[in-house]
């Protein structure tokens, strides 16, 4: 079975552009989590989504960031008008419908803002 | 504020020794406990989960949970240089699936 897939693996944007990060969870998983990790820092929770619903977005910056997980297709983390401080690794994790809080991580997207 | 605390390290052990990694947490209602390993530049990978007090063994890894003292530890026996990584402790203390993460302990196993 394929694990969590993220694309692109590396993304370069200039200040003011938009960044779209995609996450396809493990087949059959309906819960998705997004994390951000700055160089040499810990994982920071951003948002937890279930199909078509945002469950917890307490870690999302109030402006410029949004996330969705539609009924069909991957989860999308969208960053509008990127700034240099958005440069980080963004990880997606998923967990299955049957109750378990174990999360399985994708390889991450490395965003660089020039 | 629910918190998970880990010593940042680096923890340095010689090859073949036992590495002991510790994690304390603040919420007594915590139910699920996880250890993840993260190599530099890579994503976290699950090593072990533990839900009940006591020890849980998986190969060279043993997780130990003590809910009364609010700590969870990870022992790595016969440490290998390939075990050199950052070890992350994560805990679910609530009713949803959101995990609270420690900042990680850096482990260096010296040949």
């Amino acid at each position: 079975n394929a694990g969590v897939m993220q694309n692109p693996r590396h993304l370069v944007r200039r200040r003011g552009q938009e960044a779209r990060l995609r996450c396809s969870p493990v087949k059959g998983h309906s819960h998705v989590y997004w994390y951000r990790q700055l160089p040499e820092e810990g994982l920071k929770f951003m948002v937890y989504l279930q199909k078509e619903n945002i469950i917890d977005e307490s870690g999302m910056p109030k402006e410029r960031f949004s996330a969705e997980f539609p009924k069909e297709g991957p989860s999308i983390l969208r960053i509008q008008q990127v700034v240099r401080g958005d440069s980080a690794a963004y990880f997606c994790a998923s967990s299955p419908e049957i109750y378990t809080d174990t999360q399985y991580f994708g390889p991450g997207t490395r965003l660089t803002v020039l | 504020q629910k918190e998970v605390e880990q010593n940042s390290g680096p923890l340095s052990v010689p090859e073949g020794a036992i590495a002991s990694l510790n994690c304390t947490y603040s919420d007594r209602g915590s139910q699920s406990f996880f250890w993840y390993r993260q190599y530099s530049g890579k994503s976290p990978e699950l090593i072990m989960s533990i839900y009940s007090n006591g020890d849980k063994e998986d190969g060279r890894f043993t997780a130990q949970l003590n809910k009364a003292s609010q700590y969870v530890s990870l022992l790595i026996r016969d440490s290998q240089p390939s075990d050199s990584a950052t070890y992350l402790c994560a805990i679910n203390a609530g009713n949803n699936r959101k995990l609270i993460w420690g900042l990680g302990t850096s482990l260096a196993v010296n040949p």
Side-chain angles (χ1 to χ4, degrees):
Chain A
N1 288 332
V4 178
M5 299 177 69
Q6 291 187 249
N7 66 80
R9 297 290 301 274
H10 299 274
L11 181 61
V12 179
R13 285 288 179 265
R14 295 190 181 279
R15 282 179 295 171
Q17 291 184 320
E18 178 179 288
R20 282 188 178 232
L21 288 62
R22 294 175 181 77
C23 169
S24 296
V26 174
K27 187 177 180 180
H29 286 195
S30 58
H31 299 260
V32 164
Y33 315 81
W34 285 94
Y35 295 89
R36 177 166 62 178
Q37 189 172 40
L38 295 169
E40 307 303 321
E41 294 191 11
L43 278 175
K44 299 295 184 184
F45 168 80
M46 299 183 75
V47 63
Y48 161 29
L49 309 106
Q50 195 176 359
K51 282 286 188 181
E52 300 185 276
N53 291 304
I54 296 175
I55 307 300
D56 185 335
E57 56 180 348
S58 58
M60 287 279 272
K62 298 300 181 188
E63 298 178 351
R64 302 189 297 109
F65 286 73
S66 62
E68 63 176 5
F69 188 17
K71 186 177 180 180
E72 301 291 338
S75 176
I76 305 289
L77 179 67
R78 181 183 179 202
I79 311 172
Q80 295 178 290
Q81 298 176 324
V82 296
V83 301
R84 289 208 173 120
D86 296 332
S87 295
Y90 291 83
F91 294 104
C92 169
S94 73
S95 62
E97 183 62 40
I98 298 172
Y99 186 82
T100 172
D101 39 21
T102 302
Q103 296 180 14
Y104 301 91
F105 281 78
T109 294
R110 270 76 180 170
L111 172 65
T112 301
V113 180
L114 301 177
Chain B
Q1 180 77 7
K2 300 174 183 176
E3 292 185 347
V4 175
E5 301 282 347
Q6 293 183 257
N7 189 324
S8 62
L11 173 65
S12 183
V13 299
E15 184 174 356
I18 296 175
S20 178
L21 303 156
N22 299 311
C23 172
T24 59
Y25 59 94
S26 61
D27 191 323
R28 286 193 171 276
S30 300
Q31 296 295 323
S32 309
F33 306 84
F34 303 88
W35 282 101
Y36 284 78
R37 176 175 62 196
Q38 186 176 26
Y39 291 112
S40 180
K42 302 294 186 182
S43 60
E45 58 178 323
L46 179 69
I47 298 176
M48 294 189 70
S49 59
I50 186 166
Y51 301 92
S52 303
N53 277 329
D55 295 359
K56 180 180 178 182
E57 187 174 318
D58 184 359
R60 295 187 297 111
F61 298 96
T62 299
Q64 298 176 320
L65 175 60
N66 185 322
K67 291 186 178 181
S69 299
Q70 295 177 243
Y71 81 80
V72 56
S73 61
L74 180 70
L75 301 178
I76 307 175
R77 290 183 299 281
D78 188 24
S79 295
Q80 301 297 310
S82 58
D83 294 326
S84 298
T86 297
Y87 289 79
L88 302 169
C89 173
I91 291 170
N92 187 338
N95 294 322
N96 67 33
R97 299 170 182 223
K98 177 182 170 183
L99 299 182
I100 309 299
W101 293 81
L103 295 180
T105 298
S106 175
L107 172 67
V109 180
N110 305 307

